[in-house]
Amino acid sequence: MRTASLALALTLALQSAYSFSFPAVHSQRVCGVTGASSLPSFRCNAVGSSKTFLKSSKNWEVDHQASLTPKYWGDLARKNLDWFKDFSITTSGGFESGDVKWFEDGQLNACYNALDRHILAGKGDKVAIIYEADEAGDVTEMTYKQTLDRVSQIANMMKSEGVKKGDVVTVYMPMTPDVILTMLACARIGAVHSVVFAGFSEDAIADRIAAANSKFVFTTNVGLRGGKTIKLKQTVDNAIAKDRAKAIVEKVFLFKRTEEEVNFVEGRDIWADELLAKQSTTCEAEVMDAEDPLFILYTSGSTGSPKGILHTTGGYSLYAMHTTKTSFDLRDDDIYACVADAGWITGHTYICYGPLLNGATTTVFESTPLYPDEGRYWDMVERLKINVFYTAPTAIRSLMRFGDESPKKYDLSSLRVLGSVGEPINPAAWDWYHNVIGGGKATVVDTYWQTETGGHVACNLPGIHVAKAGSCRGGTYGIDMGILDPQTGEEQVGNDVDGVLVIKKPWPGMARTVLGDHERFMTTYLKPYPGNYFAGDGARRDEDGYIWVTGRTDDVINSSGHRIGSAEVESALVATDEVAQAAVVGFPHDIKGEGIACYVTLNNGVEMSDDMKKSLKMAVRSSIGPFATPDMIINAPALPMTRSGKIMRRILRKIAGGENEFGDTSTLADPSCVPVLVENARN
Ligand code: PRX
């Protein structure tokens, strides 16, 4: 282990001090060189030149067609993963009954493939993880060998405390290497991790513990982020105090990020650092069936409670590995940094599994883009000589506001690929990312995907495709993407069409089910357009065949790259004593992509005031988490309902967005409520 700062040094690596990091931050738009047809003229310089890239495919169409076959994935799986038992069936099942399987009779272990495999190949001294702690310049590096040692100790500690194959382990931790190591340790012993983003509230943790019947929780005393201390253990204690979680949780493993003292429950809590030190650094990797669960991750839908999306071992591992390699043109000596949080799917696939399965050097970033100032990312890029950087448009937009001076102070010439995720990247942000950050030569890769897809399903591939700012281009390897008419379900063939986005064939990285509710999985993704996976997004295919995602077709809000179900915000509001009814919608927001607007009908006798607005915002924060804080609370004595009693959200979105034209309002039971809402939205 080499340390780049006196402050952190060995102590940190050895005693695990860590904290949490930015939510799903990622952003982008790329310009690669391609063998493909016409170069779009706007905003897309065919930058990077083919020399910059791994290789330029002369014939993407042919390669892509070949990747749509089971043989493609079977060959890759044998070549790129170590199997304890080879598989004889590459794939089976389908969308019709939602029983998709990949490599089902094969056996492997994801952690073994992420660590041991590279060590056996002689890469034990290669840096696996660079930890950029909250204070700029506090950097600790861990080699593959050191990573495996500590993962094995965590795994042995878990076993010694009764964690068994198949148990669900809830992980509520800051962005320090230990969150990644804990995930890998779970994978090593066949436990199923359920990481809960460390910005979620105690209620959200309790819900997830209860839904997954999770007897074990990992946390730290506190987190550090942007110079602030976050009381993670206290939040976990409060979560477990709730009846629905109390009866379930048996053990809480507690790491130390600082020396701050916290409440300690004898018999339930375990000081992980102390117990770890006594564990062997050898732990046999459990033999897992390819279709055994690897993890669950909760995500929001348009209705009901969050869904526990379940990913399995073989298909997910292969897909995470392959997309990391191909979407970012990842090279062996790259320094790779995805500045998301491990609590979201981006952190799972593109901080932990994808890079490590490739034997790459991945960065764990604990801080925020604005700490100590707006140059934090660029300072880090210069110091660590980062080659591949992956963030979200919302972060790019928030940094652009400060102008070009800050990035210009730093040497960013190491950057070769700039990834974007979470929402379409608007042209202004694309240009800034590409030109100011990427020096006009780094490739911006717009990656479209979801928690459910496991990894990227659409992007412009560096060296293969020319990018258009704001378009994720089209299906990547193995992804057969289509656009359907939303009403008839008929495929919209050819270019210049729009509709709903679907994937027409199963791929290895797709989620297999919603934990405990396969019917919900079917109804949400596979039944709306039989024979297809329905992503929940609308899309347009332009005249060059490029796909432009136009946003969710359901009531999911995408705010700062976070997926927030309007139903969840509505229930938080109506759970207060003051609110009789609530309708929550997204509206265009300069920085966040979408802001959260809450129309609330107050109970009789309750008055709207600034204090009331504050308290309702607080109610949402404490029910879900600070990242879901509403941008607007709008007094709504009445909501625009159709005669059949359905709220016309389209109108609410327009009002919140400051529009004055609302289209046809004749189907409203009482159109007179609209001007009142317009007035209230402006106050
Ligand atoms: O609406 C799409 C949007 O984010 C949704 C998935 O959210 P989540 O599961 O939280 O995963 C976020 C990180 C992958 C999608 O349904 N989305 C994500 N990436 C893009 C995007 N929309 C347009 N372009 C993207 N690149």
Side-chain angles (χ1 to χ4, degrees):
M1 176 184 298
R2 287 175 9 226
T3 52
S5 108
L6 288 175
L8 276 197
L10 283 173
T11 13
L12 270 195
L14 296 176
Q15 61 170 225
S16 116
Y18 313 136
S19 200
F20 91 82
S21 112
F22 204 69
V25 180
H26 302 311
S27 119
Q28 220 33 277
R29 130 193 182 155
V30 172
C31 250
V33 174
T34 177
S37 55
S38 57
L39 299 185
S41 53
F42 54 96
R43 267 184 240 279
C44 189
N45 331 311
V47 175
S49 94
S50 49
K51 281 186 295 193
T52 320
F53 302 115
L54 182 66
K55 78 173 180 346
S56 178
S57 170
K58 288 275 180 302
N59 200 340
W60 163 249
E61 292 305 327
V62 173
D63 290 354
H64 185 233
Q65 278 305 317
S67 77
L68 300 176
T69 59
K71 180 175 180 330
Y72 178 83
W73 294 108
D75 290 350
L76 273 180
R78 291 201 174 90
K79 185 168 158 233
N80 291 336
L81 294 172
D82 278 359
W83 295 82
F84 297 139
K85 179 175 163 251
D86 189 18
F87 51 90
S88 66
I89 308 165
T90 302
T91 187
S92 68
F95 288 160
E96 286 67 21
S97 38
D99 54 353
V100 172
K101 294 190 175 78
W102 286 85
F103 322 119
E104 61 184 282
D105 58 344
Q107 291 181 319
L108 77 168
N109 182 286
C111 174
Y112 180 92
N113 274 282
L115 301 177
D116 309 52
R117 182 167 179 267
H118 309 305
I119 296 168
L120 292 171
K123 285 164 68 171
D125 292 333
K126 178 173 178 174
V127 175
I129 297 175
I130 301 178
Y131 169 36
E132 165 94 7
D134 195 38
E135 293 303 322
D138 275 359
V139 177
T140 309
E141 298 179 348
M142 296 179 77
T143 65
Y144 269 89
K145 177 74 177 70
Q146 288 165 330
T147 304
L148 176 59
D149 285 353
R150 189 166 170 91
V151 164
S152 300
Q153 287 181 309
I154 300 174
N156 283 329
M157 170 179 74
M158 279 198 257
K159 287 210 278 195
S160 74
E161 291 299 320
V163 183
K164 299 207 168 49
K165 182 173 176 173
D167 282 342
V168 176
V169 175
T170 302
V171 179
Y172 187 74
M173 288 172 69
M175 272 303 287
T176 68
D178 276 344
V179 67
I180 303 297
L181 307 191
T182 300
M183 290 159 71
L184 291 168
C186 288
R188 195 161 192 88
I189 64 171
V192 181
H193 55 76
S194 166
V195 183
V196 179
F197 169 57
F200 270 113
S201 67
E202 56 201 48
D203 269 317
I205 305 172
D207 290 346
R208 285 153 179 75
I209 287 173
N213 192 31
S214 173
K215 292 184 277 185
F216 305 97
V217 179
F218 271 76
T219 191
T220 56
N221 56 348
V222 295
L224 293 182
R225 188 165 181 258
K228 296 199 183 82
T229 301
I230 298 135
K231 299 188 177 301
L232 299 180
K233 172 62 162 54
Q234 190 179 311
T235 308
V236 166
D237 282 346
N238 294 346
I240 300 175
K242 294 175 194 295
D243 287 344
R244 58 194 184 281
K246 201 187 307 179
I248 296 174
V249 175
E250 292 174 8
K251 294 273 155 68
V252 175
F253 296 92
L254 182 56
F255 286 105
K256 274 188 184 176
R257 172 61 181 93
T258 66
E259 291 309 313
E260 183 154 327
E261 291 195 5
V262 286
N263 178 42
F264 186 88
V265 180
E266 290 296 341
R268 184 198 76 181
D269 295 351
I270 294 159
W271 283 116
D273 302 281
E274 286 170 19
L275 188 53
L276 267 183
K278 299 181 192 145
Q279 306 297 322
S280 157
T281 52
T282 303
C283 174
E284 198 81 350
E286 190 73 32
V287 175
M288 304 298 289
D289 288 344
E291 283 296 333
D292 279 341
L294 178 61
F295 66 85
I296 48 178
L297 186 58
Y298 283 85
T299 191
S300 296
S302 50
T303 54
S305 52
K307 298 171 276 202
I309 299 296
L310 187 138
H311 283 285
T312 56
T313 307
Y316 171 84
S317 296
L318 181 65
Y319 200 70
M321 176 188 208
H322 189 59
T323 49
T324 309
K325 174 86 180 154
T326 55
S327 306
F328 300 128
D329 174 21
L330 187 68
R331 301 168 188 186
D332 200 38
D333 52 0
D334 274 346
I335 304 293
Y336 167 96
C338 165
V339 288
D341 192 285
W344 306 108
I345 190 67
T346 308
H348 282 55
T349 307
Y350 297 109
I351 297 176
C352 179
Y353 289 107
L356 296 176
L357 284 161
N358 277 293
T361 299
T362 189
T363 305
V364 171
F365 177 65
E366 185 177 33
S367 196
T368 83
L370 298 174
Y371 183 74
D373 59 37
E374 73 281 0
R376 178 59 185 270
Y377 280 164
W378 323 129
D379 171 46
M380 178 173 78
V381 167
E382 179 182 280
R383 275 187 288 104
L384 303 181
K385 299 197 173 32
I386 290 167
N387 307 107
V388 180
F389 184 76
Y390 192 25
T391 191
T394 182
I396 297 296
R397 288 191 296 265
S398 70
L399 296 174
M400 272 171 73
R401 284 181 304 170
F402 295 96
D404 301 356
E405 287 320 301
S406 175
K408 283 192 171 151
K409 283 194 266 175
Y410 300 97
D411 177 4
L412 304 179
S413 59
S414 57
L415 290 170
R416 191 182 75 250
V417 174
L418 297 169
S420 176
V421 57
E423 58 177 304
I425 179 162
N426 52 305
W430 193 101
D431 283 343
W432 194 77
Y433 203 23
H434 176 60
N435 292 314
V436 179
I437 304 306
K441 63 184 180 50
T443 299
V444 178
V445 179
D446 185 344
T447 62
Y448 166 80
W449 60 298
Q450 314 174 294
T451 306
E452 296 86 339
T453 65
H456 305 152
V457 287
C459 70
N460 50 299
L461 293 160
I464 296 180
H465 303 111
V466 169
K468 294 190 185 192
S471 160
C472 61
R473 189 203 56 83
T476 188
Y477 294 101
I479 301 297
D480 195 2
M481 221 164 226
I483 294 183
L484 309 186
D485 179 288
Q487 262 74 49
T488 63
E490 243 170 70
E491 180 155 18
Q492 305 291 285
V493 286
N495 293 338
D496 236 343
V497 293
D498 58 26
V500 292
L501 192 67
V502 296
I503 301 175
K504 299 191 277 178
K505 282 194 171 84
W507 67 102
M510 66 176 283
R512 301 296 193 258
T513 192
V514 168
L515 187 74
D517 197 350
H518 195 61
E519 192 44 39
R520 193 171 178 198
F521 183 75
M522 297 299 295
T523 339
T524 314
Y525 308 107
L526 303 182
K527 282 190 179 165
Y529 299 100
N532 296 281
Y533 167 86
F534 172 49
D537 285 304
R540 174 168 76 84
R541 189 161 46 231
D542 73 9
E543 58 292 350
D544 296 318
Y546 275 56
I547 287 179
W548 300 71
V549 175
T550 51
R552 304 285 310 183
T553 58
D554 52 15
D555 294 324
V556 169
I557 300 168
N558 187 342
S559 186
S560 294
H562 298 306
R563 186 163 153 181
I564 296 159
S566 30
E568 288 167 64
V569 183
E570 286 161 7
S571 6
L573 291 166
V574 295
T576 63
D577 290 338
E578 294 84 10
V579 176
Q581 195 181 8
V584 173
V585 294
F587 67 96
H589 187 288
D590 282 351
I591 303 292
K592 299 179 174 182
E594 275 191 294
I596 303 172
C598 307
Y599 291 83
V600 294
T601 309
L602 297 173
N603 282 321
N604 275 346
V606 182
E607 293 288 316
M608 184 55 87
S609 63
D610 285 348
D611 282 347
M612 175 62 64
K613 288 182 183 178
K614 270 191 212 142
S615 113
L616 295 178
K617 285 183 183 180
M618 275 311 295
V620 176
R621 278 173 75 97
S622 50
S623 167
I624 304 174
F627 63 92
T629 308
D631 296 276
M632 295 168 90
I633 301 279
I634 300 158
N635 190 21
L639 287 164
M641 302 276 199
T642 60
R643 289 194 191 94
S644 54
K646 199 164 180 284
I647 296 171
M648 262 215 200
R649 289 169 187 273
R650 173 177 62 81
I651 294 181
L652 297 180
R653 276 191 276 272
K654 289 188 175 196
I655 297 174
E659 289 184 39
N660 292 314
E661 289 301 322
F662 306 115
D664 181 12
T665 54
S666 61
T667 53
L668 287 180
D670 176 13
S672 71
C673 69
V674 174
V676 177
L677 295 180
V678 172
E679 179 65 23
N680 290 352
R682 290 184 183 150
N683 292 322

